[in-house]
Amino acid sequence: MTKYLSYKQNILEASQWLSEHGYFGSQRGSGGNVSMRVDETVMAITPSSVSYTELTKEHICIVDFNLTLIEENHPVQPSVEAGMHSVIYRNRPDVNAIVHTHQTYGSVFGLINTPIPALFDEVAFSLGQTIEIVPYALSGSPELVHNVAGKLSNNANAYIIQNHGILALGRDIDKAILHAELLEKVAHVYYLALSTGKLVDTLPQSIIEAVAAVRNNEVKVAVEKKK
Ligand SMILES: [Zn+2]
């Protein structure tokens, strides 16, 4: 349907960029997924089990938030992790695009089960005061959806999923990708800083509080706009 064409094209381009830049962990695989909100009950999302080298815009799925395909005779099923995207759109009106990747340095902190604190102004204002860890549950399980939902009230734009990968959220697809990039940058630098064995400084408390106020206000404005 032409109505959804721009969403499909944007998701295809975002997926290809993330794949080519190593964000999905393998270029020939189908791990990770990308979605965009279409409206208050519908999203566009990458399919299950189609490698990024073979992905075309015809594969991108249009589903409602109960994960039912909207287009008739669609050739593939939505990503098994679609539930994770749906629960974010339901709970975060400020979010219009989501990138879920298996990127290297973000994943390191999912293995050592350690949140990333506020280390740089830009990262803190874009991603939130802390990049928290979503507790592990099997990919695609209702438990993982539940665990993601449990973390969303901090209004952050990035989360690390324990023993799995990361989630980057944005008000549009470019912002969601930028947030995945910023997360990888801060995770890489934090990893290097920790490896020196020296004390790692975080931002002053006053800045952390200012960040929280800005992020909470952005979410409030988005909620009011959609009323
Ligand atoms: Zn995954």
Side-chain angles (χ1 to χ4, degrees):
M1 258 189 260
T2 50
K3 182 180 165 190
Y4 302 117
L5 213 57
S6 65
Y7 295 97
K8 293 183 176 189
Q9 186 63 34
N10 282 330
I11 288 177
L12 176 66
E13 285 170 15
S15 303
Q16 288 171 336
W17 189 92
L18 289 162
S19 176
E20 282 161 16
H21 289 81
Y23 279 78
F24 292 132
S26 69
Q27 292 196 21
R28 288 161 209 272
S30 61
N33 28 75
V34 176
S35 74
M36 288 173 74
R37 181 200 293 275
V38 173
D39 60 29
E40 293 324 296
T41 57
V42 174
M43 64 179 173
I45 187 162
T46 42
S48 176
S49 306
V50 178
S51 75
Y52 290 101
T53 50
E54 304 199 329
L55 188 69
T56 67
K57 60 180 182 300
E58 286 71 30
H59 289 123
I60 308 299
C61 301
I62 307 295
V63 293
D64 66 22
F65 288 173
N66 296 321
L67 313 185
T68 305
L69 280 163
I70 286 183
E71 294 174 301
E72 281 177 19
N73 304 319
H74 196 68
V76 282
Q77 289 298 308
S79 162
V80 294
E81 291 171 324
M84 217 162 55
H85 294 247
S86 165
V87 82
I88 295 171
Y89 291 127
R90 284 178 202 261
N91 286 281
R92 289 282 301 273
D94 59 311
V95 173
N96 295 314
I98 301 165
V99 163
H100 162 57
T101 78
H102 300 158
Q103 61 198 61
T104 305
Y105 285 96
S107 299
V108 167
F109 289 87
L111 296 187
I112 60 175
N113 198 10
T114 302
I116 300 178
L119 297 172
F120 304 104
D121 297 354
E122 183 198 20
V123 175
F125 278 104
S126 297
L127 304 187
Q129 56 270 43
T130 311
I131 302 164
E132 291 191 6
I133 308 291
V134 174
Y136 175 82
L138 194 64
S139 302
S141 67
E143 291 76 19
L144 184 56
V145 174
H146 175 82
N147 293 350
V148 169
K151 290 291 177 181
L152 297 171
S153 64
N154 71 351
N155 292 335
N157 275 333
Y159 302 91
I160 294 165
I161 308 172
Q162 191 179 14
N163 289 75
H164 184 160
I166 72 101
L167 281 163
L169 287 42
R171 65 170 179 263
D172 58 39
I173 190 73
D174 284 338
K175 281 277 187 281
I177 295 172
L178 170 66
H179 295 162
E181 279 194 283
L182 285 174
L183 172 51
E184 194 63 353
K185 179 251 181 173
V186 71
H188 190 172
V189 174
Y190 191 36
Y191 168 83
L192 292 174
L194 289 173
S195 70
T196 66
K198 296 193 173 181
L199 186 69
V200 178
D201 279 334
T202 56
L203 294 176
Q205 190 56 32
S206 59
I207 300 295
I208 292 170
E209 283 165 18
V211 166
V214 168
R215 299 257 349 107
N216 292 338
N217 192 50
E218 273 179 19
V219 175
K220 208 173 114 200
V221 168
V223 172
E224 276 163 13
K225 253 192 204 163
K226 285 188 173 162
K227 268 182 189 166

